[in-house]
Amino acid sequence: MKKIMIVDDESDQIYVIKKSLEKAGGKYEIIPANSGAQCLEFLEKNQIPDLIILDIMMPEMSGWIVFDKLKGNNTWEKIPIIFLTARTDKIAENAGGFLGNDFIEKPFDTKDLKSRIDKVLKDTNQK
Amino acid sequence: MILTETSIWWILLAIFIMSLAVWFIHYYFRDRDKRKLMFAIAFLLAGVTYIYLAIDYRNIQNESILWSNIYHWSMFPIMITLLFAVCTSLFKTKNLNLMFRIFLVILAILFISVFLPFSIAEISAIGRQFIGIAVIITSGYLFIKSRDLSSLIFLMAMICFTTSGISLVRDMDYFSILLYLLAHIFLTLIFVVAPSHSESENLGISSYFSLTNQLKTAKRALHESEERYKRIVENTSDAIMLTQPNGVVSYMSPACKNVLGYAPEDLVGKVPNIFHPDDTKKVNETLSQALNDKHGSDLEYRIKTKNGETKWVSHSWSPMLKDGKLQIIVSSVRDITDRKKMEEKIAEKVKILEDSELATLNIMDDLQETIASLEKAEREIKELNEGLEQRVKKRTAEVEKLLHQKDEFVNQLGHDLKNPLGPLINLLPLIEEQETNPESKEMFEVINRNVNYMKNLVTKTMQLARLNAPSTELSVEGVTLLDEINKVIERSKLLFEENNIKVESGINKDIMVKADKLRLEELFDNLIGNSVKYSPNGGNITIDAKDDGKFVVVFVKDEGTGMTSEQLEHIFEEFYKADESRHDFNSSGLGLSICKRIVEKHGGKIWAESEGEGKGTTMLFTIPTSNKKTSRTDRNSKRN
């Protein structure tokens, strides 16, 4: 079962994504992380997910910082990342957009979310 | 004509006397002394008398009256001459020319008597005796008075004359000749003796004869005068120069050293070449031209002194002519270096002035140009400004229009958002109640929370939009501040209890403010809500107000997280949260923006103070003070 880490400071958002994916028939193991710091903590404890869904607007450590840290680590850089944000304009502002493997705009469509996740996972496997 | 044995002696006497006459004439031409001419004439005529006597005239006296008369006439002049001498001495007359003229007139008158048709022998004899006695008495007096040698000699001469006359009458010819000889010698001797010893003009007969003395006096006077002139010439600060027609300097006054920088001996006997090379030509031309025309003139030129210094001099000269021929040139040379320097300085100053005048004119031109270009620039700027003003006006109008559109849009959006929120807010709790599945209940909870958050957001957004709209007016009235605060505190009691927060209000109940009641409540709601949000559990919130006359300053102080100075700057901006990414269901990020708009609408201002993170925050705002009277007028005016 694929492991997906969802990094979002709002527990409600993690809950909604988790429930949505379950109802859409997705068989994933969800690792919730309430902050960027927690995300990195899990990674250091070798809880390496197959995919990270990363919220950008988070207090203290924004999604961008987490992204930079991941890409600066030999082991973690290969983990595919899907940005999750309510403000797509911010994605465009930062490094021309596609820094991650994909991005999903809030509010999201459950089917769309699942198909994107599956696609990214599939692409990663092929590599 | 009868020659006697004495004739030869008479002739010798005549010759001697005439020789003396010639000697006198000689000295007359030398000294131009009329007395000598007088004596010469007298002596010559006396000679004539002796010639008469030589031819023994006494014995032929009846031959001719004319002859006789001439003889008697010829004896007179010597007597007159002697009379003049004593008279002059007596009266101290010095006008020799006048005396001489009188002498000639008397002589001429007497000569006319020669031609009278009768013999003048008797008259002549009486006259001569009379004059003789007078002269003897006078000369005796003069001798007694002066006791000088010349007076004595004169007296002796007179005695000789008289005695010889008497001797002649007595036919004592030899004795007579001797006495005549002595008399003449004495008379001549006086001219030699008198001047040598008579220093005083008061002294006897010598005052008449002392010509040498007079000459001496004249010489002394001349010498003194010369000395005076010399002193003047030598002491004048100008150099006085005498130059011969060939250009050789014959005299140079001592001032030459100061004026020309040369000692007189450097120049005397030479043709001076001391002119400045640049002026030599000019000086030579002017000088030679002036000398050819034989007139004086003056010239200013430069010279080179002995030690090479350049000096300015003013040279004025006048030629001395004799019979139209140039004798000598008298020059006066003055040092005018200082004057010239002054003149140069003045000229320099004048030039500077002229230049500066010119410069001033140039500056004036430049200034005028500058002014012209400035005026042009000003016109352009004015035009530009007018354009700019118009553009700004236009742009402002555009912006105002856009802002208005935005407010309209937000209002519309808020309204439109509120509609779909209605069923969600009202119906969701009903479904949640019916649901028994715990998983569904959990989902409902999440949904409810988020729907409420959204409702809050929409409400606040609409409040702000309303406040931003220029058309929104406040309903201002006199409000008791404490009442309004208490209302809000009362309403928020539950919130305080939940968070275990203690609220203290120290507001004086007399404080009145000019405010819109509803907005004021909204303001306190937001501020107190904010304080609660950031206060720790069990914290204190202190509310106080201070009336400073015109405004009331209100404080809402918490013991919460505090703020950094950067946060303090931004907290009143829309959608700003102390922590940008903080997702808080109770915070819309609009509360303080709303507070700001409310305070500003009332004419006050709002700010926050904090000593730093963790040290609590104080929100402060001012609001106009009111008393009930003014508040009523305000309200009335609003309604009108």
Side-chain angles (χ1 to χ4, degrees):
Chain A
M1 198 158 53
K2 297 285 180 190
K3 286 187 217 163
I4 299 174
M5 188 188 279
I6 304 171
V7 188
D8 199 319
D9 61 314
E10 287 177 58
S11 316
D12 283 358
Q13 289 297 330
I14 299 174
Y15 177 81
V16 169
I17 295 166
K18 191 185 165 189
K19 284 291 165 192
S20 302
L21 290 174
E22 274 175 20
K23 297 294 168 190
K27 300 260 187 290
Y28 312 112
E29 187 192 334
I30 303 294
I31 307 168
N34 284 314
S35 68
Q38 202 176 21
C39 162
L40 296 173
E41 198 186 308
F42 288 154
L43 292 175
E44 268 164 20
K45 284 178 182 167
N46 260 337
Q47 292 193 15
I48 310 294
D50 297 294
L51 175 75
I52 296 175
I53 295 174
L54 185 57
D55 183 27
I56 292 168
M57 298 199 27
M58 288 187 292
E60 280 145 32
M61 191 187 283
S62 76
W64 300 122
I65 297 168
V66 178
F67 179 83
D68 282 345
K69 290 203 185 268
L70 293 179
K71 294 300 164 190
N73 184 296
N74 286 336
T75 324
W76 307 338
E77 68 173 345
K78 290 162 193 159
I79 307 168
I81 293 164
I82 295 175
F83 281 117
L84 183 69
T85 179
R87 295 193 62 169
T88 42
D89 55 335
K90 294 252 172 173
I91 292 275
E93 268 171 35
N94 282 276
F98 296 97
L99 279 172
N101 299 68
D102 204 346
F103 74 92
I104 299 165
E105 193 184 343
K106 291 184 198 173
F108 52 84
D109 179 77
T110 310
K111 280 180 190 162
D112 181 43
L113 176 65
K114 191 179 176 289
S115 68
R116 278 170 192 265
I117 290 168
D118 289 343
K119 187 175 182 292
V120 171
L121 286 173
K122 199 178 152 195
D123 290 348
T124 316
N125 278 342
Q126 279 174 0
K127 276 175 196 171
Chain B
M1 206 184 323
I2 302 147
L3 288 174
T4 64
E5 55 192 74
T6 56
S7 292
I8 183 72
W9 294 109
W10 283 114
I11 287 172
L12 284 173
L13 180 64
I15 292 166
F16 176 68
I17 298 305
M18 285 180 166
S19 304
L20 282 178
V22 171
W23 182 76
F24 274 122
I25 289 168
H26 165 72
Y27 277 97
Y28 164 71
F29 281 112
R30 196 194 69 174
D31 300 338
R32 300 277 158 186
D33 184 358
K34 293 280 168 49
R35 286 170 307 182
K36 291 189 174 137
L37 193 57
M38 234 151 82
F39 269 85
I41 294 166
F43 274 35
L44 276 173
L45 292 174
V48 172
T49 311
Y50 301 142
I51 290 164
Y52 266 93
L53 288 168
I55 58 170
D56 198 12
Y57 164 73
R58 283 162 298 184
N59 300 322
I60 54 164
Q61 56 186 292
N62 295 325
E63 266 180 22
S64 151
I65 292 169
L66 182 66
W67 274 106
S68 164
N69 282 355
I70 290 171
Y71 166 67
H72 290 292
W73 169 73
S74 69
M75 284 197 281
F76 251 98
I78 192 78
M79 297 310 289
I80 295 165
T81 308
L82 296 172
L83 185 66
F84 267 73
V86 289
C87 287
T88 310
S89 294
L90 204 59
F91 302 114
K92 291 173 186 147
T93 308
K94 288 220 165 154
N95 198 333
L96 292 177
N97 281 333
L98 180 69
M99 277 197 302
F100 184 65
R101 266 183 228 127
I102 294 169
F103 170 74
L104 285 180
V105 169
I106 292 170
L107 214 58
I109 293 167
L110 289 176
F111 187 68
I112 293 165
S113 69
V114 168
F115 302 100
L116 292 169
F118 53 85
S119 172
I120 58 164
E122 297 293 319
I123 302 165
S124 169
I126 293 166
R128 272 183 288 136
Q129 277 164 23
F130 181 75
I131 293 170
I133 290 161
V135 170
I136 286 170
I137 291 167
T138 316
S139 56
Y141 164 76
L142 282 171
F143 170 67
I144 291 161
K145 191 183 160 207
S146 67
R147 290 181 185 280
D148 73 337
L149 185 58
S150 45
S151 296
L152 178 65
I153 294 169
F154 189 79
L155 182 63
M156 281 165 71
M158 282 318 299
I159 291 166
C160 287
F161 266 120
T162 314
T163 319
S164 61
I166 295 164
S167 310
L168 192 65
V169 175
R170 304 265 172 98
D171 289 330
M172 295 160 72
D173 277 24
Y174 287 109
F175 189 59
S176 183
I177 289 164
L178 183 67
L179 286 172
Y180 272 126
L181 181 68
L182 281 172
H184 284 288
I185 287 169
F186 280 139
L187 279 179
T188 310
L189 206 60
I190 294 173
F191 277 101
V192 181
V193 171
S196 68
H197 73 278
S198 61
E199 292 299 320
S200 167
E201 287 175 12
N202 290 329
L203 292 176
I205 197 75
S206 60
S207 66
Y208 176 73
F209 290 98
S210 61
L211 177 72
T212 322
N213 189 36
Q214 284 183 358
L215 271 174
K216 258 191 181 169
T217 312
K219 262 188 189 165
R220 198 164 55 234
L222 188 70
H223 182 70
E224 277 170 11
S225 157
E226 200 182 303
E227 275 294 311
R228 208 158 45 233
Y229 280 113
K230 203 174 163 193
R231 267 202 301 278
I232 291 167
V233 163
E234 300 204 330
N235 287 309
T236 181
S237 58
D238 294 354
I240 308 296
M241 176 171 74
L242 299 179
T243 319
Q244 289 163 13
N246 58 9
V248 173
V249 174
S250 54
Y251 173 79
M252 199 80 219
S253 73
C256 156
K257 183 118 185 124
N258 285 331
V259 176
L260 300 176
Y262 288 89
E265 52 269 27
D266 291 334
L267 301 174
V268 172
K270 292 170 193 158
V271 177
N273 184 18
I274 58 171
F275 311 116
H276 190 277
D278 295 347
D279 287 352
T280 308
K281 202 180 159 206
K282 178 177 86 174
V283 175
N284 285 338
E285 277 173 7
T286 314
L287 270 175
S288 55
Q289 181 63 39
L291 294 180
N292 281 340
D293 298 346
K294 295 192 179 85
H295 63 72
S297 185
D298 62 283
L299 184 67
E300 289 179 356
Y301 55 83
R302 282 166 292 174
I303 57 151
K304 280 265 180 211
T305 63
K306 201 173 182 178
N307 47 28
E309 224 178 301
T310 301
K311 270 187 160 189
W312 270 98
V313 295
S314 166
H315 180 183
S316 56
W317 66 92
S318 55
M320 305 288 273
L321 304 176
K322 195 175 181 186
D323 303 327
K325 220 181 137 194
L326 184 63
Q327 291 293 104
I328 207 151
I329 304 145
V330 181
S331 301
S332 158
V333 187
R334 175 172 294 186
D335 182 359
I336 55 161
T337 312
D338 289 345
R339 197 192 85 198
K340 277 286 171 186
K341 271 183 191 165
M342 194 62 81
E343 279 174 5
E344 273 169 24
K345 264 188 198 164
I346 289 167
E348 219 170 273
K349 287 272 187 305
V350 167
K351 195 172 177 298
I352 289 169
L353 274 176
E354 281 171 356
D355 286 354
S356 65
E357 199 180 358
L358 206 68
T360 311
L361 284 176
N362 287 340
I363 288 168
M364 290 308 285
D365 281 352
D366 289 354
L367 268 177
Q368 268 172 357
E369 244 169 68
T370 312
I371 287 167
S373 49
L374 275 175
E375 279 171 349
K376 198 182 159 205
E378 199 187 337
R379 268 200 308 280
E380 283 171 2
I381 287 170
K382 210 174 159 191
E383 280 165 20
L384 205 70
N385 271 345
E386 278 166 7
L388 209 66
E389 233 168 84
Q390 278 173 352
R391 282 217 296 276
V392 167
K393 267 185 195 165
K394 201 178 152 196
R395 192 59 54 86
T396 309
E398 280 171 12
V399 168
E400 275 173 359
K401 198 180 158 196
L402 282 172
L403 280 173
H404 183 70
Q405 281 175 352
K406 186 202 88 175
D407 288 337
E408 280 288 303
F409 172 74
V410 171
N411 258 334
Q412 191 60 46
L413 180 71
H415 192 258
D416 289 355
L417 283 172
K418 263 184 176 177
N419 282 341
L421 271 175
L424 277 174
I425 289 161
N426 297 316
L427 299 179
L428 270 173
L430 299 179
I431 305 166
E432 196 187 348
E433 268 175 37
Q434 289 169 11
E435 189 58 60
T436 47
N437 184 346
E439 195 191 354
S440 299
K441 269 215 179 259
E442 193 187 42
M443 284 192 215
F444 269 118
E445 237 172 76
V446 172
I447 293 164
N448 257 332
R449 228 178 7 245
N450 283 277
V451 167
N452 274 319
Y453 176 56
M454 192 157 131
K455 187 197 97 183
N456 191 16
L457 252 181
V458 170
T459 312
K460 295 269 161 126
T461 304
M462 287 193 64
Q463 273 181 11
L464 191 63
R466 237 192 340 266
L467 284 166
N468 278 341
S471 53
T472 308
E473 279 191 14
L474 300 178
S475 173
V476 178
E477 58 186 317
V479 176
T480 306
L481 189 64
L482 186 61
D483 291 351
E484 299 311 310
I485 293 278
N486 284 340
K487 260 190 228 170
V488 176
I489 292 173
E490 193 61 38
R491 219 166 35 216
S492 308
K493 228 170 192 168
L494 201 70
L495 184 69
F496 298 144
E497 277 168 13
E498 273 175 14
N499 293 281
N500 200 14
I501 282 167
K502 213 175 135 197
V503 179
E504 282 173 23
S505 166
I507 295 174
N508 189 312
K509 64 176 170 48
D510 295 334
I511 293 177
M512 298 282 290
V513 293
K514 272 191 266 183
D516 182 316
K517 267 188 182 177
L518 290 175
R519 301 288 162 234
L520 194 61
E521 280 174 29
E522 219 170 271
L523 174 61
F524 280 119
D525 263 335
N526 275 300
L527 288 179
I528 292 169
N530 223 41
S531 293
V532 172
K533 201 189 304 169
Y534 292 101
S535 283
N537 199 293
N540 286 319
I541 293 173
T542 316
I543 303 167
D544 206 345
K546 199 173 80 188
D547 189 350
D548 74 354
K550 213 173 170 188
F551 283 94
V552 176
V553 188
V554 184
F555 314 79
V556 179
K557 189 170 189 279
D558 67 50
E559 295 170 339
T561 49
M563 276 180 221
T564 61
S565 57
E566 200 212 325
Q567 288 171 330
L568 287 172
E569 268 178 50
H570 298 288
I571 51 166
F572 295 102
E573 290 169 11
E574 290 168 16
F575 295 107
Y576 183 88
K577 292 180 195 173
D579 186 333
E580 195 188 275
S581 305
R582 187 181 177 121
H583 288 258
D584 183 339
F585 293 111
N586 296 316
S587 171
S588 59
L590 291 170
L592 287 177
S593 297
I594 289 166
C595 292
K596 188 170 186 263
R597 292 304 303 154
I598 292 169
V599 170
E600 284 173 355
K601 280 249 171 190
H602 282 88
K605 59 179 183 173
I606 187 165
W607 70 100
E609 286 174 4
S610 174
E611 283 175 15
E613 282 185 287
K615 292 182 178 174
T617 309
T618 306
M619 304 301 300
L620 304 100
F621 68 89
T622 61
I623 195 155
T625 310
S626 164
N627 52 56
K628 273 177 182 169
K629 257 184 189 173
T630 55
S631 67
R632 201 166 289 135
T633 0
D634 269 7
R635 202 163 51 207
N636 288 343
S637 65
K638 275 268 180 309
R639 280 174 189 167
N640 291 341

